[in-house]
Amino acid sequence: MVSTTANSTDAEVHVVDLLLSDKEAAAAILHACITTGFFYVANHGVPERVIEEHWLQSRAFFNLPITNKLSLLADSNNRGYTPMAEETLDPEHQSQGDTKEGLYFGRDLPADCEEAKLPLHGPNQWPSEALLPGYKAAMETYMAAVHGLSNRLLLLIAIALQLPSDFFLQFYDKPMMYLRPLHYSPQVSLPEEGVYGAGAHTDYGALTVLATDDSPGLQINTGGQWHHVKPIPGTFIINLGDMLERWTNGYFRSTLHRVVNNVGKERYSTAFFYDPNFTARVECLPQCCKGNPPKYPPTTSGQHVLDKYAMTHAGYNGPSIGA
């Protein structure tokens, strides 16, 4: 049983230096993937100026009047603005929605292209250049940079599993990738009353690259207890999602995590979710099922994400698909 209110200590989350050789970095990542499912990356190659410009633009958007933000309300493809408390990541234990607001951006596709017929695919909703000069350019530059980092991490994860280094890239020629800038209100969390910055959840896809400001709040659950994951300047926080746990039959961990505001300060973070193609089949890798029957039924990347959105987003009214 997972406690919702237990006192938290610091988590043992290791820093992986990406200047290491691929073999050394993969070994360090393997250890993280089978223990906490979380790790930091340093020397990641994303320029600091790109990160800082994205922070400036993110704060500028969330400081806009609510009427401006609501003009970009998330559409049926979940692209756009999600207001404060619209998302409830742990409905069983929350008395209200998450004390955060956010945005979703993905691969920007023309509305009339064939791929845009799929759920969760289509054009982004951007603030106008007149309203926020440079916003779109800054976010697209940042997203391209963390996309490159994510591909490097997939190569290292494949090596860690003793697979060909490009193994996972076959599922990523048309990836579902989402940039999620977030702003948490200064409201103090009250876990005993079901009030959280973000309720306890696992990430739905394969890989998450998280940037945070210097405000604490992220916690992970290991051994049935909650532990802090502190911000470390110059790093990204990486965690695995459900699809890598499914692919590896539970060998890799998609770890429960949440955000708890104990300090009464605003908090900004940006998650980059890197998920396989919508139609990619996710099932136990053969080497992970030897002598160990599959723990999870086969699914597709798109079906799993759609199911999760329907459970957690009050404002999501997009289509569903058959299992």
Side-chain angles (χ1 to χ4, degrees):
M1 181 177 178
V2 173
S3 168
T4 59
T5 60
N7 291 332
S8 301
T9 57
D10 291 344
E12 291 187 13
V13 177
H14 297 286
V15 179
V16 177
D17 187 343
L18 293 185
L19 290 182
L20 293 170
S21 69
D22 284 356
K23 182 178 179 180
E24 291 173 310
I29 287 172
L30 175 63
H31 176 75
C33 290
I34 63 177
T35 53
T36 62
F38 273 74
F39 56 97
Y40 302 91
V41 290
N43 294 309
H44 43 67
V46 178
E48 185 63 26
R49 59 176 174 77
V50 170
I51 298 171
E52 285 305 313
E53 181 60 23
H54 124 275
W55 283 132
L56 288 171
Q57 293 288 353
S58 184
R59 288 182 172 88
F61 175 85
F62 290 119
N63 282 330
L64 289 173
I66 187 63
T67 51
N68 293 121
K69 292 185 283 191
L70 288 175
S71 70
L72 299 172
L73 199 63
D75 60 18
S76 61
N77 287 317
N78 216 35
R79 305 290 181 94
Y81 175 66
T82 55
M84 196 70 68
E86 182 272 344
E87 187 173 25
T88 306
L89 283 165
D90 186 11
E92 183 179 352
H93 297 110
Q94 287 182 251
S95 60
Q96 64 177 59
D98 299 346
T99 59
K100 71 177 191 297
E101 58 183 337
L103 287 153
Y104 277 106
F105 303 113
R107 286 191 298 119
D108 212 351
L109 300 171
D112 59 354
C113 76
E114 189 66 23
E115 197 179 352
K117 295 178 181 178
L118 290 170
L120 306 177
H121 289 64
N124 288 324
Q125 296 194 82
W126 297 104
S128 70
E129 192 68 13
L131 184 65
L132 281 183
Y135 183 91
K136 179 182 177 183
M139 291 299 168
E140 288 186 327
T141 300
Y142 178 84
M143 186 155 54
V146 292
H147 180 199
L149 170 61
S150 299
N151 278 335
R152 170 88 196 282
L153 293 172
L154 284 181
L155 296 176
L156 294 172
I157 288 169
I159 294 169
L161 288 167
Q162 299 182 355
L163 294 165
S165 62
D166 62 352
F167 175 81
F168 288 109
L169 297 185
Q170 66 183 298
F171 304 105
Y172 279 84
D173 60 313
K174 294 180 179 178
M176 293 195 297
M177 59 185 198
Y178 304 105
L179 193 69
R180 180 96 165 112
L182 294 165
H183 167 234
Y184 292 83
S185 82
Q187 181 178 352
V188 173
S189 299
L190 299 169
E192 65 280 1
E193 297 181 16
V195 179
Y196 297 90
H201 65 286
T202 58
D203 285 353
Y204 313 149
L207 194 66
T208 303
V209 178
L210 180 71
T212 72
D213 64 11
D214 59 1
S215 295
L218 178 63
Q219 297 179 350
I220 65 173
N221 192 280
T222 56
Q225 299 295 319
W226 291 102
H227 304 278
H228 297 293
V229 180
K230 292 184 174 181
I232 297 179
T235 69
F236 288 105
I237 300 168
I238 311 299
N239 68 280
L240 308 185
D242 298 343
M243 293 181 203
L244 270 169
E245 182 168 283
R246 283 173 171 263
W247 262 322
T248 62
N249 207 27
Y251 181 49
F252 282 5
R253 296 189 57 187
S254 177
T255 298
L256 202 64
H257 54 285
R258 67 185 188 182
V259 173
V260 173
N261 185 342
N262 290 323
V263 296
K265 289 175 56 181
E266 289 181 301
R267 179 177 181 266
Y268 291 87
S269 69
T270 302
F272 178 74
F273 301 112
Y274 197 40
D275 304 344
N277 300 355
F278 187 87
T279 57
R281 188 170 173 85
V282 180
E283 58 187 335
C284 181
L285 296 169
Q287 68 267 39
C288 295
C289 297
K290 292 178 180 177
N292 188 15
K295 297 178 181 179
Y296 311 100
T299 188
T300 62
S301 178
Q303 179 66 62
H304 185 69
V305 172
L306 283 173
D307 289 346
K308 293 291 188 177
Y309 280 176
M311 291 169 56
T312 58
H313 280 285
Y316 178 67
N317 59 356
S320 184
I321 57 176

